[in-house]
Amino acid sequence: MTARGARETLRAVDAVAFAVAGTPVTWIELWGDATGLVCVYLVARANVWNWPVGIANTVLFFFLFARARLYGDALLQVVFTALGVYGWWQWTRPDAAGGELPVRRASAAESLAMGLVSLAGTAFAALVLARHTDSPVPVWDASVLVLSLVATWAQAVKLCESWWLWIAVDVISLPLYVARGLYPTALLYALFLGLCVLGLREWQRIFREQDAPAGAAP
């Protein structure tokens, strides 16, 4: 595709599809929401195809959040793309026994590290956003950024605790996106919240079945 063709494609997907309460909703937001919903569903099913679908979602959301001046969320999409490639590689490579990467629980050290990174990272990112951008909500923007990164890493190594982090992200994101007029995306995150609860239960079931003695009833 030529540079001109790429610009025309971007303009087409960034066109207004309809309006909600006087706020325009673009096709890029709708396509981003659709790929995000499919991605979370596939993650809940522990399906490896969540990663390529998720990468498409991050590209769309980068443009969406940059236009909404949610710079932490926009930057997050760039890192998400890199983590998506890492997660895709992790899920497709065999483990030490030659089998599929198993679902597991975080060790005490991993839980402590995730907690410290979440707190310190949010404080640092909020300071940067407050001083160097016009983000209207630097603390909440930063918390979504950092918690999402930690959750994506935990998801890439198949930790059950990744779902608790995603639930926290969804609870923070809902009012944030409503406040910025991203109503379809806010609705999407409400659906994400329900899917995250289902995903947590599904991964806990998979974990129990993995640890069950051979021949035992699930």
Side-chain angles (χ1 to χ4, degrees):
M1 180 182 290
T2 64
R4 180 179 179 182
R7 287 195 297 270
E8 290 176 351
T9 300
L10 181 58
R11 280 197 296 269
V13 296
D14 200 33
V16 175
F18 53 84
V20 177
T23 301
V25 177
T26 64
W27 285 107
I28 203 168
E29 181 174 1
L30 294 176
W31 279 109
D33 292 347
T35 52
L37 190 60
V38 172
C39 175
V40 175
Y41 171 78
L42 291 174
V43 176
R45 304 298 299 174
N47 188 310
V48 70
W49 284 100
N50 83 85
W51 295 108
V53 173
I55 290 171
N57 170 256
T58 61
V59 173
L60 292 164
F61 270 11
F62 171 81
F63 293 105
L64 175 68
F65 291 136
R67 289 283 297 273
R69 293 190 298 127
L70 293 174
Y71 304 112
D73 280 346
L75 174 62
L76 179 62
Q77 307 312 307
V78 177
V79 185
F80 268 167
T81 301
L83 285 174
V85 173
Y86 170 72
W88 198 355
W89 172 73
Q90 276 281 92
W91 282 35
T92 53
R93 73 185 184 115
D95 64 8
E100 182 181 322
L101 183 70
V103 172
R104 63 183 180 87
R105 295 193 184 280
S107 65
E110 287 172 329
S111 295
L112 178 61
M114 287 190 289
L116 291 175
V117 168
S118 297
L119 290 173
T122 296
F124 175 75
L127 183 63
V128 171
L129 290 172
R131 290 186 174 181
H132 301 290
T133 76
D134 59 349
S135 174
V137 283
V139 174
W140 299 115
D141 204 359
S143 64
V144 170
L145 166 66
V146 175
L147 288 175
S148 296
L149 291 175
V150 176
T152 302
W153 172 82
Q155 175 188 319
V157 294
K158 284 194 175 180
L159 298 181
C160 285
E161 287 76 8
S162 64
W163 290 108
W164 289 110
L165 293 167
W166 283 126
I167 288 170
V169 168
D170 295 338
V171 169
I172 295 169
S173 296
L174 265 167
L176 178 61
Y177 296 149
V178 169
R180 300 307 298 160
L182 302 176
Y183 301 114
T185 302
L187 175 60
L188 174 70
Y189 272 72
L191 295 174
F192 279 171
L193 184 58
L195 284 174
C196 284
V197 173
L198 294 176
L200 174 63
R201 294 177 62 182
E202 177 67 10
W203 279 33
Q204 287 174 336
R205 181 191 64 78
I206 293 172
F207 176 76
R208 289 194 299 268
E209 290 183 355
Q210 286 173 172
D211 280 12

